[in-house]
């Protein structure tokens, strides 16, 4: 029996399968055992094993390997390409053109392995690959350092929330207004990252207000502080302390309180949406928000009394929050000013299609255009009476005279 009969030729693994374990120079050994028609498929792996066995190569040897690489790569099966990528990525003398070809491999795992190289890769190629994906390749690009502004911009435009989160874990990336503008067009990415961006002090006050429900407790307190700073700015400019007070028609507030205490959560959300001019889905999120800070902001903006606010908080949140957390919400209600609360609520009226305000990064913010008159509303229908609380219809809303 011949040597070839004793050692059957190794056939390439199916596309997408991976070798269980790789041993150094396996490709060289297999090459000598392959049949003639299979030998070409394994030739590049054997050549790569021999190439990385030396510490470095003269320019002529690099050029010969590059040319061999270009010719054989299309006929090399995916499992071998993956091994080749893993061999070349950490190798200090790997030809840059070979690594670049591997980063555009149709097999995402091969491309990801090549992108793990510490070598600098062409920016244009990385931007192109970030646009094409898939997501695992984008994440491999996101962990590379340094990342140029153009690469960061491409990842923000095309990556999912997890990819962008990986990218922003690096402190050397500055989130400027242009990058915030990109994120503002992608609420599916911006909202999960709101708390991370707030911790980095990357969000201007307008975005803090809008993303309030997506922030953690620390971010929400920062948003409230920004609203209070804007309130002080308004007070300093106008010199009228009345801007610190909420002014709603008593009948409007009675109807709202009755809806909270006896009309059910959905009815209260409808009244809240009408009274503060909020989108219906936003009002529902506020009522369903598990920690309750957004509801406190709404009650303070409306100017409900401490007693009424406490009753509403207990009625709507008492079944899911412990007593100590309810007390903390009541203390927050006592702390925030009605005007700051109204500024926050006005920020919630905006939709993702509205332009992003990214110029008010300073501690003192420009005053809003809307004043107290806009906050005052007529009662919906007759004053609250015994029986079911009517649900307001947004189509008949009228400003107070």
């Amino acid at each position: 029996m011949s040597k070839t009969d004793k050692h059957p030729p190794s056939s390439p693994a199916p596309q997408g399968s991976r070798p269980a374990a790789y041993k150094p120079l396996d490709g060289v050994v297999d090459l000598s055992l392959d049949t003639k028609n299979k030998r070409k498929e394994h030739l590049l792996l054997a050549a790569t094993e021999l190439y990385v066995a030396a510490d470095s190569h003269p320019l002529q040897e690099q050029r010969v390997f590059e040319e061999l690489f270009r010719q054989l790569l299309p006929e090399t099966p995916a499992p071998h390409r993956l091994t080749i990528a893993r061999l070349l990525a950490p190798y200090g003398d790997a030809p840059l053109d070979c690594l670049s070809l591997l980063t555009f491999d149709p097999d995402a795992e091969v491309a990801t392995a090549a992108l793990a190289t510490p070598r600098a890769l062409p920016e244009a190629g990385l931007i192109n690959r970030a646009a094409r994906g898939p997501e695992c390749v984008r994440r491999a690009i996101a962990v590379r350092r340094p990342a140029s502004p153009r690469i960061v911009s491409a990842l923000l435009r095309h990556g999912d929330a997890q990819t962008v989160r990986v990218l922003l874990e690096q402190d050397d990336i500055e989130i400027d207004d242009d990058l915030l503008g990109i994120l503002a067009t992608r609420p599916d990415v911006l909202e999960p990252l709101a708390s991370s961006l707030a911790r980095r002090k990357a969000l201007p006050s307008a975005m803090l207000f809008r993303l309030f429900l997506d922030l953690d407790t620390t971010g929400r307190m920062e948003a409230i502080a920004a609203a209070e700073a804007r309130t002080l700015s308004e007070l300093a400019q106008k010199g009228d302390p009345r801007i610190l007070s909420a002014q709603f028609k008593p009948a409007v507030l009675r109807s709202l309180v009755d809806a909270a205490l006896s009309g059910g959560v959905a009815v209260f959300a409808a009244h809240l949406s009408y009274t503060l001019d909020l989108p219906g889905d936003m009002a529902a999120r506020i009522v369903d928000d598990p920690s309750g800070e957004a509801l406190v902001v709404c009650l303070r903006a409306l100017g409900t009394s401490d007693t009424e606010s406490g009753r509403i908080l207990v009625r709507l949140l008492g079944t899911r929050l412990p007593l100590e957390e309810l007390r903390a919400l009541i203390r927050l209600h006592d702390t925030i000013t009605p005007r700051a609360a109204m500024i926050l609520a006005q920020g919630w009226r905006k939709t993702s299609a509205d332009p992003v305000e990214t110029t008010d990064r300073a501690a003192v913010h420009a005053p809003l255009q809307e004043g107290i008159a806009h906050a005052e509303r007529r009662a919906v229908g007759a004053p609250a009476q015994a029986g079911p609380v009517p649900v307001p219809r947004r189509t008949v809303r009228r400003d107070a005279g």
Side-chain angles (χ1 to χ4, degrees), residues 255-265 267-268 311-312 315-316 389:
S255 178
L256 190 89
V257 172
D258 289 344
L261 299 180
S262 61
V265 173
V267 175
F268 175 73
R311 293 173 64 195
I312 292 173
R315 172 68 175 83
L316 298 179
V389 179

Side-chain angles (χ1 to χ4, degrees), residues 137-149:
V137 172
R138 293 192 185 105
R139 287 174 194 164
I141 297 174
V143 300
R144 292 180 54 82
R145 289 295 176 270
S148 71

Side-chain angles (χ1 to χ4, degrees), residues 97-386:
D97 286 349
C98 298
L99 287 171
S100 296
L101 284 173
L102 289 170
T103 61
F104 278 90
D105 196 280
D107 188 299
E109 192 171 359
V110 175
T112 299
L115 288 165
T117 180
R119 300 278 303 278
L121 295 172
E123 181 189 66
L126 293 176
I127 293 172
N128 190 323
R129 192 70 224 234
R132 292 172 54 182
E135 213 58 48
C136 63
V137 172
R138 293 192 185 105
R139 287 174 194 164
I141 297 174
V143 300
R144 292 180 54 82
R145 289 295 176 270
S148 71
R150 293 180 63 198
I151 292 174
V152 172
S153 177
L155 289 170
L156 293 186
R157 291 183 187 278
H158 302 287
D160 65 10
Q162 183 57 36
T163 296
V164 177
R165 189 185 304 277
V166 169
L167 177 69
L168 298 183
E169 284 176 355
Q170 306 297 328
D171 295 333
D172 59 340
I173 295 177
E174 180 181 356
I175 308 299
D176 58 19
D177 291 348
D178 291 337
L179 296 183
L180 281 176
I182 294 173
L183 287 175
T185 65
R186 305 191 62 202
D188 58 316
V189 173
L190 177 59
E191 291 168 5
L193 297 174
S195 293
S196 299
L197 292 169
R199 284 194 293 271
R200 294 184 59 165
K201 310 297 182 183
L203 296 178
S205 59
M207 293 187 78
L208 280 173
F209 302 159
R210 184 187 305 186
L211 295 170
F212 188 90
L213 285 168
D214 301 298
L215 298 171
D216 56 18
T217 299
T218 301
R220 291 180 179 190
M221 294 305 106
E222 183 177 344
I224 291 173
E228 295 288 2
R230 182 172 289 189
T231 298
L232 291 176
S233 174
E234 290 184 0
L235 180 61
Q237 292 184 33
K238 297 180 179 179
D240 185 355
R242 290 180 298 173
I243 68 171
L244 301 179
S245 302
Q247 296 183 20
F248 281 81
K249 294 289 186 180
V252 171
L253 297 185
R254 284 198 303 271
S255 178
L256 190 89
V257 172
D258 289 344
L261 299 180
S262 61
V265 173
V267 175
F268 175 73
H271 277 74
L272 193 65
S273 172
Y274 174 85
T275 308
L276 288 177
D277 193 20
L278 299 175
D281 57 343
M282 176 62 73
R285 287 187 66 192
I286 290 170
V287 175
D288 293 336
D289 181 49
S291 59
E293 292 100 346
L295 179 57
V296 168
V297 169
C298 288
L299 296 176
R300 201 67 173 120
L302 292 165
T304 55
S305 68
D306 293 344
T307 301
E308 291 172 333
S309 296
R311 293 173 64 195
I312 292 173
L313 291 173
V314 171
R315 172 68 175 83
L316 298 179
L317 305 177
T319 58
R320 63 177 188 254
L321 287 183
L323 180 59
E324 187 53 42
E325 292 187 26
L326 284 173
R327 288 173 175 167
L329 290 177
I330 293 173
R331 288 194 296 269
L332 177 64
H333 182 274
D334 292 339
T335 301
I336 186 172
T337 61
R339 181 56 187 158
M342 180 57 75
I343 288 173
L344 284 167
Q346 287 170 333
W348 300 342
R349 295 172 187 165
K350 295 187 176 183
T351 66
S352 58
D354 291 328
V356 181
E357 298 176 26
T358 56
T359 57
D360 54 344
R361 292 180 178 271
V364 178
H365 308 287
L368 297 178
Q369 298 299 316
E370 299 172 347
I372 297 173
H374 187 80
E376 192 171 331
R377 302 281 181 252
R378 285 188 185 273
V380 181
Q385 300 173 354

Side-chain angles (χ1 to χ4, degrees), residues 75-87:
E75 300 184 48
T76 303
H80 288 1
R81 298 201 307 272
L82 177 61
T83 302
I84 291 168
R86 289 172 174 170
L87 289 171

